Amino acid sequence: MRIPTTAFIRTNLHALKPRTVGLSRTCRVHKPITRSFHSSRVISLDFDPYKTLGVEKSADDKQIKKAYYDLVKKFHPDVNKEKDAEKKFHKIQESYELLRDKEKRAQYDRFGASAFDANGNANPYAGQGAQGGNPFGGFGGSAQGNPFAGMGFDFEDLFREAFAGGRGASGGGRGGGRTYVMEHVGDNIEVLKSIPFKDSIFGTKVTINYKAVDACTSCSGSGLKSGAKKKTCPTCHGTGQTTHIMGGFHMASTCPTCQGSGVEIAKEDECGTCHGHGVQEIPKSQTVDIPPGVSDGTRIRIPGAGDSPLVTKDAYNKLVKGDLILRINVQKDPVFKRNKNDLVIDQDILMTTAALGGEIVVPTLDGQQIKLKIRPGVQNGRKLTIPEKGVPINRNLKNRGNLEVVLNVKTLVPETPTQKALLEALADTFNDKNAKRTDADWSLDVEEGKDGQINETYDENDLHPSKLRRIGKVLGKFFNLDQNCDKDSKK
C-alpha cells in the first residue's frame, strides 16, 4: 500500500533554484510492513522461523539476511500476486524479526515455539512447570525478587522492543539494516508546448528544455562526502518510527528526525553540492514525437523523465522518477478549422456565381489546390465535401476525415450607374417588385391602410438607430417635445 508523505520539503534544498516549469508534485512511499499487536490468549508460535527462511539453525547473520532478502523479493505483495503471497510474506517478516535479534533467537533456541505466542510476543510462561509448578521456575528467580534474573536478558526490554515496532526488525541500535523496502516516487513535471495547426494534423518532433530534480552529480545521490557514512538516527535508533502511549495504547508514527529512513547524515558529512539531500536541479532536454491528429489540450506522457524523489540513495530504498507530461497547445489557423475528424473552410462566392453556377478553387492543408464545380442556384451555407483531406483518424495518415467547404454567397453592391441599371433589369426579368428602382414613380404594388396591409413604413436606418438618436427619442417622449412641436406648428 502506498501512502503520501510530506517528509521532504522542496524549500529545504539549499542548493536548488526556483522552478520555471512543472505543476503539482507528489511523492509516494511504501509504508513499512510491520506487525500489529493484539491481545489474545497465550498460544505458542505456530511456525518454525528456520524452516520459513530455509536456513539451518547454525546459519550466521549473513546467511539469514541473504535468505530473507531473496524471499522478500519473491513474495512481496507488490510483486507476487498469488493468493497466499501476502500471508507468506508476513511469516517471512516475522521469522526474520525473531532470528535477527540475538536475544530472541537465543530464547527460541532454548525453549522452542513456546518461547513466543502466536503474535510473536515473548511468552512469560515458557518452560513453566519445570520448577514444581512455578511458572517462572525455569528461569531461576533471584533474591531481589526478579523472576527473570539469571536468564541473561531483560523481559521488559523484550516487550518494549516488540511494542516499539521491533528494533530487531529494523536493526536500529544493534548494527543491522532495515528489513523492509520503501519505494519513493518522484514528482511529475508538466510543460506547455505550442505547435502550429498544420503540425497538429500531420505530426512533428519538438524539443523540450526544462529543469528536473535528479541525483546529485557530486555524490551520485548519496548526500555524503567521499568516504563518509550515514549514522543511525538517535531519535528512533534506526527503526524509522517513534512510539507514543495514549490512553494505554502504543501509537507508532514516522520519526520526525530521519523521516522514517532510520539513518541521518551528520552536518560535517554532508555533500557540499546538495547539502546532504542527494538531489539537485539539473537542466534537461527531451525530444518528443508529436503523433498526427493531436487536438488542443492533448497530454503526452514521457515515463521516467520527471523529478527524482527528494531522498538520498539507500540500499533499502527504491527510487522511481516521475514522468514528464507535455501538454499541447494548438495555434489557430487563419483558413482552416477543426471539427472532430473533419477540417472546415469558409469559401466566399459572388451572387452571380451562386445564381449561374461555375467553378471555384479551394486550398487544402496538404498544400494542394482543388477545383470545385458549383451548380446553378446554390444557396448560402451549402456544404461541399472533399473526402480524405481531413484529420488523420487514430493517428493513421492513410485514414483521414473530410474537408468541408462551406459556401458564403456575397451580395453584389452596385457602384456605377451601369451596374445599377443591369441589376434593375435583372430584377425586372425575374419580376422582383420589391427591389428599388431609379424611376421616381416606382412604388410597391400593394394597397396601404387596409386591414392586413401595410400600416407603417420604416427606413432601414431606423431599424438600427444610433445611440444618440435613441437618447433623443427617449428625451423627446419624456418632455413631450413632440406634442409641443405640434402645438407650435398649428399656431
Side-chain angles (χ1 to χ4, degrees):
M1 178 180 66
R2 293 182 178 179
I3 59 174
T5 177
T6 57
F8 306 101
I9 308 300
R10 178 176 295 278
T11 53
N12 289 336
L13 302 178
H14 307 296
L16 303 188
K17 298 178 180 179
R19 297 188 61 80
T20 57
V21 294
L23 300 179
S24 61
R25 303 175 176 272
T26 56
C27 183
R28 300 188 299 276
V29 58
H30 264 198
K31 183 179 180 181
I33 299 174
T34 57
R35 172 174 36 76
S36 59
F37 294 87
H38 308 279
S39 60
S40 62
R41 59 193 183 91
V42 179
I43 302 177
S44 298
L45 199 67
D46 59 352
F47 61 90
D48 186 337
Y50 291 104
K51 291 183 179 180
T52 302
L53 296 180
V55 296
E56 299 292 336
K57 286 191 175 183
S58 58
D60 57 19
D61 291 343
K62 290 184 178 179
Q63 292 173 326
I64 292 174
K65 181 182 291 187
K66 183 179 183 304
Y68 168 72
Y69 281 118
D70 289 342
L71 293 172
V72 164
K73 292 178 182 178
K74 181 179 179 181
F75 292 100
H76 196 283
D78 287 347
V79 177
N80 194 317
K81 302 302 181 181
E82 295 180 4
K83 185 177 181 181
D84 297 332
E86 186 173 357
K87 183 177 180 181
K88 292 179 181 179
F89 181 80
H90 286 296
K91 291 294 183 184
I92 294 168
Q93 180 77 21
E94 293 174 2
S95 298
Y96 184 70
E97 288 179 5
L98 192 154
L99 298 182
R100 185 67 185 85
D101 190 303
K102 293 181 179 179
E103 295 177 356
K104 288 184 179 182
R105 183 177 179 181
Q107 173 75 350
Y108 182 82
D109 290 342
R110 183 176 181 182
F111 298 105
S114 62
F116 300 92
D117 61 20
N119 293 321
N121 300 318
N123 182 5
Y125 302 104
Q128 66 177 339
Q131 299 292 333
N134 179 7
F136 309 114
F139 305 136
S142 66
Q144 287 77 16
N146 181 7
F148 309 118
M151 285 191 61
F153 67 94
D154 188 352
F155 242 118
E156 293 180 2
D157 184 64
L158 184 62
F159 277 114
R160 191 181 304 113
E161 288 181 351
F163 283 102
R167 278 186 289 175
S170 63
R174 300 186 185 273
R178 302 180 69 91
T179 62
Y180 48 81
V181 178
M182 285 187 177
E183 184 186 63
H184 300 267
V185 182
D187 299 335
N188 295 333
I189 300 176
E190 184 166 323
V191 180
L192 179 66
K193 182 66 177 180
S194 294
I195 62 174
F197 184 85
K198 186 175 181 179
D199 288 345
S200 73
I201 301 302
F202 298 110
T204 186
K205 282 188 177 182
V206 295
T207 300
I208 307 300
N209 297 314
Y210 63 103
K211 289 185 178 181
V213 175
D214 206 346
C216 175
T217 54
S218 300
C219 63
S220 299
S222 67
L224 294 163
K225 291 181 178 179
S226 179
K229 293 183 179 180
K230 295 180 181 179
K231 297 180 181 179
T232 301
C233 175
T235 303
C236 65
H237 305 288
T239 63
Q241 296 180 333
T242 55
T243 305
H244 313 277
I245 300 177
M246 298 179 62
F249 293 94
H250 289 73
M251 311 294 290
S253 60
T254 302
C255 176
T257 302
C258 65
Q259 311 301 336
S261 65
V263 293
E264 66 173 1
I265 299 174
K267 193 71 176 178
E268 60 273 13
D269 294 331
E270 291 181 355
C271 168
T273 302
C274 65
H275 303 283
H277 295 288
V279 293
Q280 61 180 160
E281 215 166 31
I282 299 176
K284 298 276 187 177
S285 181
Q286 188 82 23
T287 300
V288 183
D289 287 324
I290 307 297
V294 296
S295 58
D296 185 59
T298 297
R299 283 175 168 82
I300 299 175
R301 183 179 296 269
I302 301 92
D307 280 343
S308 293
L310 306 182
V311 295
T312 57
K313 286 186 178 180
D314 190 277
Y316 310 111
N317 286 339
K318 180 181 179 182
L319 307 184
V320 180
K321 289 186 178 181
D323 300 333
L324 173 64
I325 300 174
L326 181 63
R327 183 158 59 91
I328 303 298
N329 171 250
V330 179
Q331 301 171 4
K332 292 185 178 181
D333 189 271
V335 177
F336 297 93
K337 299 177 183 177
R338 178 172 177 172
N339 181 22
K340 298 181 180 179
N341 291 326
D342 295 334
L343 293 177
V344 181
I345 180 174
D346 293 327
Q347 183 69 30
D348 292 338
I349 63 172
L350 294 176
M351 181 181 73
T352 49
T353 302
L356 301 175
E359 295 179 345
I360 60 173
V361 177
V362 296
T364 66
L365 199 61
D366 305 59
Q368 300 173 342
Q369 300 288 329
I370 296 180
K371 182 183 291 186
L372 295 179
K373 292 185 177 182
I374 306 298
R375 65 174 177 81
V378 70
Q379 299 298 313
N380 183 59
R382 170 78 175 179
K383 288 184 179 181
L384 304 178
T385 301
I386 303 175
E388 295 295 326
K389 293 298 180 182
V391 180
I393 300 174
N394 296 327
R395 312 293 192 257
N396 185 3
L397 288 171
K398 295 182 179 180
N399 182 22
R400 298 170 59 181
N402 302 322
L403 173 62
E404 299 285 352
V405 181
V406 181
L407 299 181
N408 179 25
V409 179
K410 296 185 66 175
T411 303
L412 295 175
V413 179
E415 297 179 354
T416 64
T418 301
Q419 292 175 348
K420 184 178 293 186
L422 290 174
L423 287 177
E424 289 180 3
L426 180 63
D428 291 339
T429 303
F430 282 93
N431 196 28
D432 182 3
K433 297 183 179 181
N434 297 321
K436 183 179 179 180
R437 308 296 200 278
T438 56
D439 184 1
D441 296 332
W442 172 87
S443 62
L444 189 63
D445 189 16
V446 294
E447 295 184 11
E448 299 183 7
K450 295 183 178 179
D451 294 339
Q453 301 299 328
I454 296 174
N455 298 315
E456 291 185 77
T457 301
Y458 289 90
D459 188 278
E460 181 185 0
N461 295 327
D462 293 334
L463 298 178
H464 303 283
S466 64
K467 291 183 179 179
L468 185 60
R469 292 182 62 188
R470 287 200 299 267
I471 294 174
K473 286 186 176 182
V474 172
L475 293 176
K477 291 180 179 180
F478 182 78
F479 291 106
N480 297 322
L481 295 179
D482 293 341
Q483 296 179 5
N484 295 333
C485 290
D486 292 341
K487 292 179 180 179
D488 292 339
S489 61
K490 291 179 180 179
K491 293 179 180 179

